[in-house]
Amino acid sequence: MSPSTGAALRLLAATVDAKAVAEIGTGTGVSGLHLLRGMRPDGVLTTVDPEPEHQQFARQAFRACGFASNRARFIPGRALDVLPRLADAGYDLVFCDGDRLEYLEYLAESLRLLRPGGLVVFEGVFAHGRTIDSGPQPTEVIRIRELLRTVRESQDLLPSLLPVGDGLLCAVKR
Ligand SMILES: C[S@@+](CC[C@H](N)C(=O)[O-])C[C@H]1O[C@@H](n2cnc3c(N)ncnc32)[C@H](O)[C@@H]1O
């Protein structure tokens, strides 16, 4: 994740005064650290990833950066298995950085998870330039194009595509 993307995530979390953030794709905790820095001091990051080693790495990174263990809830598993168990309208921000093939499904889950005025954010929507490349593209890129179209046409969302890093698609739930 680029430093500019991290700074944007921190800004977005602070802008919605985030107390509850859901993250899809814990990875090594880079995005989680940026989100935690922008959230309220009592905010909790709920982060989902099927790889336990990734979550272990992120847990250590959060601790090393001074975040108390109760600031993050690590849920192992695939997003589409875990998200249905999370509370309706219980989140201020949902950050999607998991499986690109599932981004459209993450959008549907996010609309349920977000409170009105909450933000959904998708990382990597430029797909390293392939999203606007006219040549044949893999399914992953076709799905991202569908996501961009769906978000743009949704009556429930107010979107903006931030040209930071590999493209950060943000949308406020009306
Ligand atoms: C690009 S990395 C995330 C990087 C992370 N946000 C960071 O900044 O360190 C993608 C992550 O999504 C996870 N992932 C893959 N499929 C997933 C799924 N179905 N549900 C949730 N996470 C998934 C991978 O294990 C990987 O850790």
Side-chain angles (χ1 to χ4, degrees), residues 129-149:
R130 291 177 301 172
T131 306
I132 54 162
D133 188 319
S134 56
Q137 296 299 335
T139 312
E140 179 183 314
V141 174
I142 292 164
R143 290 279 159 77
I144 288 176
R145 289 180 185 154
E146 285 169 13
L147 171 78
L148 290 165
R149 199 176 314 117

Side-chain angles (χ1 to χ4, degrees), residues 35-144:
L35 289 163
L36 282 166
R37 289 187 179 121
M39 292 169 70
R40 284 165 51 156
D42 58 344
V44 175
L45 174 75
T46 297
T47 183
V48 181
D49 200 296
E51 301 294 338
E53 319 84 72
H54 292 190
Q55 292 202 315
Q56 193 50 33
F57 197 97
R59 193 190 299 275
Q60 286 165 7
F62 294 173
R63 196 181 306 132
C65 290
F67 291 102
S69 58
N70 62 2
R71 294 289 313 279
R73 178 166 66 133
F74 292 89
I75 306 184
R78 298 182 60 80
L80 297 181
D81 295 330
V82 173
L83 297 179
R85 307 202 304 258
L86 304 185
D88 291 7
Y91 293 84
D92 305 298
L93 190 155
V94 179
F95 175 59
C96 305
D97 194 15
D99 185 346
R100 272 53 177 163
L101 292 171
E102 297 181 344
Y103 265 17
L104 265 173
E105 286 89 347
Y106 298 166
L107 175 66
E109 286 294 332
S110 300
L111 283 170
R112 182 184 63 75
L113 294 174
L114 286 172
R115 62 157 169 90
L119 264 174
V120 60
V121 180
F122 291 87
E123 161 64 346
V125 297
F126 291 161
H128 308 289
R130 291 177 301 172
T131 306
I132 54 162
D133 188 319
S134 56
Q137 296 299 335
T139 312
E140 179 183 314
V141 174
I142 292 164
R143 290 279 159 77
I144 288 176

